Amino acid sequence: MSESILTNRNGIIVEKGTWTPVATKVLSFHTAPTYTVVQSNAVYYRIGKLCYISCWYSINITNAGNSSICIEGIPYMSVDSTTSRSQVFAGNCMNVTSGTRYGTARIVDNYNKVVVLKHDYEDNQPYTTGTLLISFSGFYVINSSYY
């Protein structure tokens, strides 16, 4: 994560920077995909407890593993959604090779991961081989350990 603090007025931190997305597995017993990064651009803006992230990430997957699509590396851990509804997300995910489009994205509670959902918004979308384009943006509330 690369950051630059713009101001710290009256105890409110305002900051912007970049972060590095990494395709990974959701759970420890899953197998992560094998891939190469084609293109990556990820930025964040923080104002106090609120963090806005944006990500454009393209990868070429040669081995899909057995996990759902999961991107880690967002700048701050999120709060638990049972405590505070922290996510307003818009996302797009597409396997460019097959032309298949997937649903939207959500942040994993108390973690620094984003999971891509199927169109039914209930189930996570598994990785598939080929070129995968993942883009999302949205706001979330930062876990209290960061303020």
Side-chain angles (χ1 to χ4, degrees), residues 36-56:
T36 55
V37 175
V38 177
Q39 184 179 1
S40 176
N41 183 17
V43 297
Y44 76 95
Y45 299 91
R46 175 185 176 180
I47 302 173
K49 299 176 187 177
L50 190 64
C51 188
Y52 168 81
I53 59 173
S54 177
C55 177
W56 176 271

Side-chain angles (χ1 to χ4, degrees), residues 39-115:
Q39 184 179 1
S40 176
N41 183 17
V43 297
Y44 76 95
Y45 299 91
R46 175 185 176 180
I47 302 173
K49 299 176 187 177
L50 190 64
C51 188
Y52 168 81
I53 59 173
S54 177
C55 177
W56 176 271
Y57 192 51
S58 179
I59 57 177
N60 185 23
I61 300 173
T62 54
N63 182 340
N66 67 353
S67 178
S68 299
I69 299 170
C70 182
I71 306 301
E72 74 176 3
I74 64 174
Y76 298 98
M77 185 184 308
S78 69
V79 297
D80 184 338
S81 66
T82 59
T83 307
S84 170
R85 292 289 169 196
S86 65
Q87 308 165 46
V88 178
F89 263 75
N92 182 31
C93 184
M94 176 179 179
N95 185 311
V96 178
T97 306
S98 69
T100 304
R101 290 186 180 273
Y102 307 124
T104 190
R106 71 171 175 86
I107 292 183
V108 179
D109 292 347
N110 285 321
Y111 217 84
N112 67 339
K113 293 183 179 183
V114 175
V115 175

